[in-house]
Amino acid sequence: MGVGKSTVGALVAERLGCAYRDTDDDIVTAQGRTIADIFVDEGEDAFRAIEKRAVHEALAGHDGVLALGGGSILDEDTRALLAGHQVVYLSMDVEEAVQRTGLNAARPLLAVNPRRQWRELMEARGPLYTEVARAVVATDGRTPDEVARAVLDALELKEA
């Protein structure tokens, strides 16, 4: 959350001369409401089912850079599908997360005691991110342009 997936994904796609897509945007468009509203109205399990469908559709129908929601890797089927793709895990520490997002209430999984919840999320998700990632790129203290360059370097890709 707040690591810059959308911003960096769009920059990488631009530099590669390919299409960009964000599954969080797909979900908001298809549902006609925010992700936070889906969490509040239907709960996390319902959101994860919606997210799984969105990610699977995007992986099947998109040829370019794809940004995934931070929790999408919780699903085992999704992780298996990602195995055939060049996945980059954008990482950051909790202090950077505080600076970037303020760990505010717009993040439903961080509504109560956000620092502790962020750490717990990362403890649970970090190994899953690493499992599917071909490369890990730290974003701490870097501009989006610097992170995009590091992603291209990590994947050994050249700009278009």
Side-chain angles (χ1 to χ4, degrees), residues 5-152:
K5 296 178 299 287
S6 300
T7 301
V8 171
L11 286 170
V12 170
E14 180 182 312
R15 291 179 181 185
L16 292 173
C18 67
Y20 167 75
R21 185 170 174 179
D22 185 320
T23 58
D24 283 351
D25 291 342
D26 291 351
I27 292 167
V28 169
T29 299
Q31 295 292 311
R33 56 194 168 142
T34 68
I35 290 171
D37 286 344
I38 297 168
F39 264 83
V40 169
D41 295 344
E42 298 182 41
E44 184 176 0
D45 289 344
F47 172 75
R48 295 294 173 211
I50 293 166
E51 180 180 53
K52 178 179 179 173
R53 284 191 305 274
V55 170
H56 288 227
E57 288 171 11
L59 286 169
H62 178 71
D63 186 28
V65 175
L66 180 63
L68 305 181
S72 61
I73 49 79
L74 296 172
D75 180 73
E76 186 177 340
D77 294 335
T78 299
R79 290 195 310 275
L81 281 177
L82 290 171
H85 298 276
Q86 295 189 62
V87 177
V88 176
Y89 165 28
L90 300 180
S91 69
M92 71 177 167
D93 68 20
V94 69
E95 295 311 316
E96 186 84 3
V98 169
Q99 289 177 6
R100 291 187 189 187
T101 68
L103 296 179
N104 60 33
R107 310 280 183 177
L109 292 178
L110 302 176
V112 179
N113 195 346
R115 285 176 190 259
R116 188 189 80 219
Q117 287 179 304
W118 190 89
R119 283 188 182 101
E120 288 173 0
L121 282 174
M122 292 313 300
E123 285 174 15
R125 293 179 181 183
L128 300 176
Y129 293 148
T130 303
E131 175 188 323
V132 300
R134 178 170 171 202
V136 178
V137 173
T139 65
D140 302 88
R142 289 175 149 173
T143 67
D145 284 327
E146 291 168 335
V147 175
R149 166 65 16 223
V151 167
L152 292 171

